[in-house]
Amino acid sequence: MGYDFDWALIVQIFPRFLPAIWLTVKVFLLAQLLSLAIALLFSVLSNSLGPSPLRRFFSFYSWLFRGLPELVVLMFCFLALPEFGLRLSPVQSAVIGLALVASAYEYEVLRGAFKAVPPLQYEAARAFGFTKPAMYRRVIMPQVLRTAIPPLLTFSCTSLKRTSVASAVAVVEIMGMSKRLIDVLQKPFELMLIAMFCYVVLSSSIMLVEYAARRRFAAAGG
Amino acid sequence: MIWSIFIEHLPVLARGILVTILLMAVVGTCGPLLALPLALGREYGPRWVRVSVNIFSWLMRSVPTLVLLFFAYFGLPALGIFLPPLLSAMLALIVSAMGYNVEFLAAGLRAVHPAQIESCRALGMTRPQMIRRVILPQALPVSLPPLFSNLTLNLKGTSLAGLVAVPEFMATTAGLISETYRPIEFLLLAAAVYLVLNSVLIWLQSVAERRFSPEWRASRRGRLAAA
């Protein structure tokens, strides 16, 4: 092997990664907030409206963004939207692109969770004289979220990993930072180990939250 | 928008699509096939196999595919292993797909009723016999739908291989965009191509699920008996 491992480099270079880790977390959280808002809005509308053109649009939206590679969506936000006169910074276009992709998956999870609520619950809420907003807030959503939160956390782990694609549209998150440092330092092995370590820690913490949520909701449901 | 540029660049685009299909075919067949022994080892193997498969699956599920691609492309040469970009990308995509595939296959194996295993033992079957004749025919149909959903994710994952010098379709598209300054046309084409490829996969899934369904197998048995 003609490669000398420089373990000291890992310790030495790690502080350089801290802003990149923060950027990854920020992009992930912003995309997560935006996508959950879209998915909630779409799923509530689709559940309360019944069959309508709007619902067909939602299924088309979900089919489209689950079918497209994230790289295509991100490059579209980054390269094609400016042609339509919409100027976005790399981070903004990454957040919007990642949110579009994630919202399609989250919409499907929430749609399934709405289906899992028995119709009797709606009838009972109506019989008790709940208004529609009150019925959703007090009766339906608590049941929907209980079913949906564990799978939503599974998908958020996937979304976290998807943020690495943002490095392809000039966002200097963990992956973008390691790419740059590989070019400068020519130490790919050590740098990729740092990147792997960062992602393993981040996604394992989401997995732990998911494990706790599953146990909690299983106990509450049983 | 000018659509004639597609015809102008047709040979390059076609080659990109072929490389994408090749990547997907290799990853789609090798991923589940290599994951199967791991899943069997985790469910029926000794303790050290179980622990190491668990660690492997956890690592592969927690690291982004792009990181694995970069690791294979930049990291392996550092270890003295020199592979052409296409091969190292295939390796990374297969390993990344295997993390999830192991979980789906193991879930299918666990779905087989324990009484089935006890009956096999009572009938004096050896373990390989039991796995081949009783467990797998019941476990594979259960694992099939999630394996295919993962395959559509893998198809989308192949687009990342373009970032490590594999001339697949997305790399071709990015190259043509910087050559012609026409992002909208080429990205719309890329979207259409990936949606068509995905629809083909979903169609294959429905065919495979039908072939594995108890009804189809029963009807085949009926036809064989009649012949």
Side-chain angles (χ1 to χ4, degrees):
Chain A
M1 271 194 282
Y3 188 82
D4 45 332
F5 293 103
D6 195 352
W7 300 111
L9 180 88
I10 292 184
V11 183
Q12 199 189 329
I13 211 78
F14 191 74
R16 295 275 293 274
F17 270 86
L18 291 176
I21 296 173
W22 170 232
L23 189 60
T24 293
V25 172
K26 206 168 76 177
V27 167
F28 165 69
L29 288 179
L30 286 174
Q32 204 61 18
L33 273 179
L34 187 59
S35 67
L36 279 175
I38 297 174
L40 261 178
L41 180 73
F42 281 14
S43 58
V44 169
L45 280 178
S46 136
N47 186 56
S48 55
L49 286 181
S52 66
L54 201 58
R55 205 161 169 183
R56 239 168 295 147
F57 163 74
F58 294 150
S59 346
F60 172 74
Y61 175 93
S62 142
W63 169 77
L64 184 70
F65 285 108
R66 283 182 305 141
L68 290 177
E70 35 286 64
L71 193 55
V72 175
V73 180
L74 284 181
M75 280 174 67
F76 199 87
C77 291
F78 186 62
L79 295 174
L81 289 186
E83 306 258 325
F84 296 116
L86 198 64
R87 291 223 150 272
L88 295 171
S89 77
V91 174
Q92 283 167 336
S93 59
V95 167
I96 291 176
L98 291 170
L100 287 175
V101 175
S103 66
Y105 287 99
E106 287 159 2
Y107 167 72
E108 292 297 325
V109 170
L110 285 168
R111 204 170 59 96
F114 270 109
K115 271 200 190 140
V117 177
L120 277 177
Q121 298 279 334
Y122 293 90
E123 288 162 25
R126 232 171 277 147
F128 275 115
F130 276 89
T131 60
K132 216 164 192 191
M135 173 176 88
Y136 268 93
R137 201 158 56 86
R138 308 240 162 178
V139 182
I140 308 300
M141 285 320 281
Q143 300 182 58
V144 166
L145 290 181
R146 182 169 294 168
T147 326
I149 281 177
L152 283 179
L153 283 168
T154 311
F155 276 107
S156 77
C157 197
T158 321
S159 304
L160 173 79
K161 296 195 286 167
R162 209 179 284 126
T163 58
S164 64
V165 182
S167 64
V169 290
V171 177
V172 191
E173 37 67 83
I174 298 175
M175 200 57 212
M177 180 59 97
S178 11
K179 254 196 257 180
R180 281 191 182 188
L181 290 176
I182 286 176
D183 289 341
V184 179
L185 299 171
Q186 298 296 321
K187 287 280 175 195
F189 193 80
E190 288 85 344
L191 288 163
M192 290 321 296
L193 276 186
I194 299 182
M196 270 191 184
F197 174 75
C198 297
Y199 282 113
V200 166
V201 169
L202 288 174
S203 31
S204 300
S205 27
I206 298 181
M207 285 178 189
L208 276 181
V209 174
E210 185 201 332
Y211 179 70
R214 256 180 221 285
R215 283 189 53 170
R216 212 196 123 147
F217 290 130
Chain B
M1 289 194 205
I2 312 167
W3 301 106
S4 59
I5 43 174
F6 293 157
I7 300 175
E8 202 179 306
H9 297 285
L10 194 63
V12 188
L13 289 168
R15 202 160 37 187
I17 294 175
L18 281 180
V19 175
T20 291
I21 293 175
L22 171 75
L23 269 177
M24 198 188 63
V26 170
V27 173
T29 44
C30 292
L33 283 181
L34 293 174
L36 186 60
L38 293 188
L40 285 170
R42 195 172 97 173
E43 290 306 306
Y44 306 116
R47 199 182 143 73
W48 64 270
V49 175
R50 270 176 223 204
V51 173
S52 33
V53 172
N54 270 335
I55 292 175
F56 169 79
S57 145
W58 162 68
L59 275 180
M60 291 311 123
R61 283 180 301 136
S62 57
V63 174
T65 312
L66 188 57
V67 175
L68 292 174
L69 280 168
F70 266 71
F71 200 83
Y73 185 67
F74 290 109
L76 287 184
L79 292 173
I81 305 168
F82 292 94
L83 294 174
L86 185 67
L87 219 58
S88 72
M90 274 178 187
L91 206 65
L93 289 171
I94 289 172
V95 167
S96 167
M98 274 166 70
Y100 284 99
N101 287 342
V102 167
E103 295 296 322
F104 298 140
L105 287 166
L109 293 174
R110 277 200 299 272
V112 178
H113 200 277
Q116 302 270 335
I117 297 171
E118 285 159 24
S119 338
C120 289
R121 241 175 255 150
L123 290 171
M125 280 185 162
T126 63
R127 192 165 256 208
Q129 268 180 336
M130 172 182 90
I131 289 171
R132 202 162 56 84
R133 307 218 166 187
V134 180
I135 308 275
L136 287 184
Q138 297 180 67
L140 288 183
V142 178
S143 309
L144 210 55
L147 281 178
F148 262 99
S149 324
N150 200 41
L151 198 56
T152 59
L153 291 182
N154 293 341
L155 166 66
K156 299 195 284 171
T158 60
S159 69
L160 300 176
L163 300 174
V164 287
V166 175
E168 51 74 62
F169 184 56
M170 206 52 218
T172 327
T173 308
L176 287 175
I177 288 174
S178 41
E179 196 181 300
T180 59
Y181 296 105
R182 297 227 148 253
I184 297 174
E185 285 88 340
F186 280 110
L187 285 173
L188 284 179
L189 177 73
V193 166
Y194 279 106
L195 287 173
V196 167
L197 288 177
N198 247 332
S199 310
V200 171
L201 278 183
I202 291 167
W203 172 75
L204 273 179
Q205 173 173 9
S206 69
V207 171
E209 276 175 29
R210 227 182 11 248
R211 288 287 297 257
F212 269 97
S213 70
E215 295 83 35
W216 196 88
R217 293 163 76 93
S219 82
R220 188 184 59 165
R221 218 171 299 133
R223 282 202 306 277
L224 285 177

